[in-house]
Amino acid sequence: MAIPSNTAAGKRRWGIGALLGIGVLINYIDRIGLSVAAPQIKDMFQLTPVELGLLFSAFAWSYSLLQIPVGMVIDRFGPTKVGRWGAFLWGVASVITAFSSGFAGIFFARILLGVAEAPAFPVSSKATGYWFPRHERGLATAIFDAAAKFSNVIGVPLVAITIVTFGWRWGFGLTAFLSFSYFIAFYFLYRDPSAHEKLSKEELNYIQQNGGAPEGKSEAGAMNMLGYLLTKSKVWGLTIGFAAYGYTFYLFLTWLPGYLVQTMHMSILKSAGYAAIPWAFATLTDLFVGGWLIDHLIKRGWDESKVRKGVLVTGMLFGLAVFGATQTTDPAWAIFWISIALGGLASAAPVGWSLPSLIAPKGGAGTIGGIMNFANNLMGAAAPIVTGFIVGATNSFANAFMVAGVILVIGIVSFVFVLGRIEPIPDPHPAGAPVPAV
């Protein structure tokens, strides 16, 4: 497959990609703040492991439940408007958290944060589809997905230092400042390609002529599109497989610092340093395997579907290294196995997030992203609760990691046998017309 040169097209799309990546970076620093602050909050309010699990999961419940409605709203109103309002509310939720006086206040603030951040990934996925041709979609998606991992490399130490130095409330003050700053940047810098006054005609043509997702709404209508997509095995294969990824990802996102403090007997600052290692490795595999390598192979003529699916399944298989962490109490070996697992999952993640814009009919990328992320974060909500119960009952993380491994196996089976080829789903008929059965 010959890929046209982009030498004369311009590079503004990569600035948009970087902006989306910064947004996800701040988005995840918001999310991980509670994990880092948990030891201080637990001692201040005398919380049990089960109560901590409920706090960890509160964000994921509201975030998950809104994914499908938010996806439909994004398909209706576009990423520009929805992205602006979402970014503003991130900061509001962090302010409320900083002023909370107990379990109930923090629980409410985390639910609100889930509402505020629900559009973040579907907006980034749909915007990336608009701004990048298919053969650049791997790296473009990896930029914002890798930011989620990199947030643990710089976010955990940054928030940890703030919390240890000034107290946990100031940690959330920091995330509020970052969130409001991003809202201002997104408000002034982001537009869809056709509305971006500084995008050259050459670059716009390059994007559109090489598989950039068409802008605009579907003629089918939001509910008709949702019903149509729910009949497609391709959507279900993606959804089940990505949900399995989400369970393990959220387990590490919420419990890794606590695991290192409890099982490896580390201080908060030391655990933050150790926790940064697997996330740094995951950032690299996300960018270079899930991003650059995929685009490189596709540009060289490799079959697009086989390349993306091969990385997707192989990455999930490496995620099974989580089993290794159950067999050791040595911090170095535990971090080694967790790094392998997270590195594999991270290489698969940008493939998953590129798929909504790659397989969606016109006007359906936000809805597919919402369906996929609904299941992903529903499992993300379950992971910290299940882990909290297991740790509370056994005083060990070994069985919690075993559960994650079993769920990954289910996800691998779904990607292999249900997803099928990575290719566009045909457009549905307009609202009022009969929808095809297949």
Side-chain angles (χ1 to χ4, degrees):
M1 178 178 63
I3 302 298
S5 171
N6 69 343
T7 303
K11 301 290 185 181
R12 187 162 296 277
R13 64 192 181 281
W14 292 107
I16 294 295
L19 176 69
L20 297 173
I22 292 169
V24 171
L25 176 68
I26 295 171
N27 195 272
Y28 269 79
I29 292 176
D30 284 352
R31 302 186 196 190
I32 64 179
L34 182 62
S35 298
V36 180
Q40 283 191 7
I41 293 174
K42 177 184 178 182
D43 291 341
M44 176 176 286
F45 301 121
Q46 298 296 302
L47 303 180
T48 67
V50 172
E51 287 175 321
L52 273 182
L54 289 172
L55 286 183
F56 288 150
S57 71
F59 164 88
W61 285 113
S62 57
Y63 184 92
S64 301
L65 292 174
L66 284 177
Q67 284 305 302
I68 294 176
V70 159
M72 297 166 68
V73 168
I74 294 170
D75 282 340
R76 171 66 178 83
F77 294 101
T80 303
K81 291 181 180 179
V82 179
R84 287 175 179 176
W85 278 105
F88 177 75
L89 290 175
W90 304 348
V92 173
S94 288
V95 170
I96 294 174
T97 307
F99 285 96
S100 295
S101 59
F103 173 87
I106 298 173
F107 188 78
F108 169 77
R110 297 301 289 183
I111 291 175
L112 179 60
L113 184 66
V115 173
E117 296 192 351
F121 259 75
V123 161
S124 295
S125 178
K126 190 175 183 72
T128 300
Y130 281 174
W131 273 92
F132 290 88
R134 291 179 72 94
H135 64 273
E136 293 178 351
R137 207 75 59 80
L139 182 57
T141 305
I143 289 173
F144 73 77
D145 187 77
K149 283 73 177 177
F150 189 62
S151 67
N152 293 272
V153 179
I154 62 170
V156 171
L158 178 63
V159 175
I161 291 171
T162 304
I163 287 171
V164 170
T165 305
F166 301 106
W168 66 269
R169 296 184 190 278
W170 281 101
F172 291 100
L174 171 66
T175 61
F177 170 77
L178 294 173
S179 295
F180 285 129
S181 298
Y182 180 72
F183 160 71
I184 294 171
F186 189 88
Y187 184 90
F188 286 105
L189 297 178
Y190 182 83
R191 303 288 188 278
D192 294 339
S194 62
H196 202 294
E197 60 277 5
K198 294 185 179 180
L199 180 66
S200 69
K201 183 178 180 180
E202 291 77 15
E203 187 169 4
L204 177 62
N205 289 338
Y206 174 76
I207 294 167
Q208 294 177 341
Q209 293 171 8
N210 290 285
E215 297 178 37
K217 299 180 293 183
S218 168
E219 297 178 358
M223 291 306 298
N224 190 47
M225 175 64 77
L226 175 62
Y228 174 70
L229 292 173
L230 288 176
T231 67
K232 300 302 174 184
S233 61
K234 197 178 296 294
V235 174
W236 283 103
L238 170 61
T239 299
I240 295 170
F242 209 68
Y245 155 84
Y247 183 93
T248 305
F249 177 76
Y250 271 97
L251 186 157
F252 288 128
L253 186 69
T254 56
W255 278 104
L256 183 55
Y259 162 73
L260 295 172
V261 169
Q262 177 174 325
T263 304
M264 304 302 169
H265 310 293
M266 295 180 179
S267 66
I268 292 178
L269 282 178
K270 187 175 181 180
S271 71
Y274 267 76
I277 295 171
W279 291 112
F281 184 66
T283 301
L284 293 175
T285 60
D286 197 311
L287 286 170
F288 291 104
V289 180
W292 176 84
L293 180 61
I294 288 176
D295 287 349
H296 176 72
L297 294 176
I298 291 173
K299 286 177 183 177
R300 295 195 62 178
W302 290 46
D303 182 90
E304 178 183 346
S305 177
K306 290 180 180 178
V307 169
R308 296 189 197 278
K309 196 168 181 180
V311 172
L312 187 64
V313 173
T314 303
M316 294 283 282
L317 287 170
F318 273 102
L320 296 177
V322 68
F323 286 127
T326 69
Q327 306 301 311
T328 183
T329 56
D330 184 320
W333 277 109
I335 289 298
F336 171 81
W337 288 116
I338 292 171
S339 295
I340 297 297
L342 272 177
L345 293 173
S347 67
V351 181
W353 271 113
S354 70
L355 291 185
S357 64
L358 290 169
I359 69 173
K362 180 182 177 181
T367 303
I368 292 181
I371 295 169
M372 178 184 83
N373 213 27
F374 166 72
N376 173 37
N377 284 277
L378 198 64
M379 293 296 281
I385 294 178
V386 171
T387 302
F389 275 109
I390 292 174
V391 172
T394 65
N395 201 35
S396 169
F397 281 83
N399 288 336
F401 289 168
M402 291 289 288
V403 169
V406 172
I407 291 173
L408 281 177
V409 171
I410 296 172
I412 291 168
V413 171
S414 180
F415 280 143
V416 172
F417 296 105
V418 185
L419 176 60
R421 280 189 59 82
I422 299 173
E423 57 190 4
I425 296 170
D427 289 346
H429 289 298
V435 177
V438 293

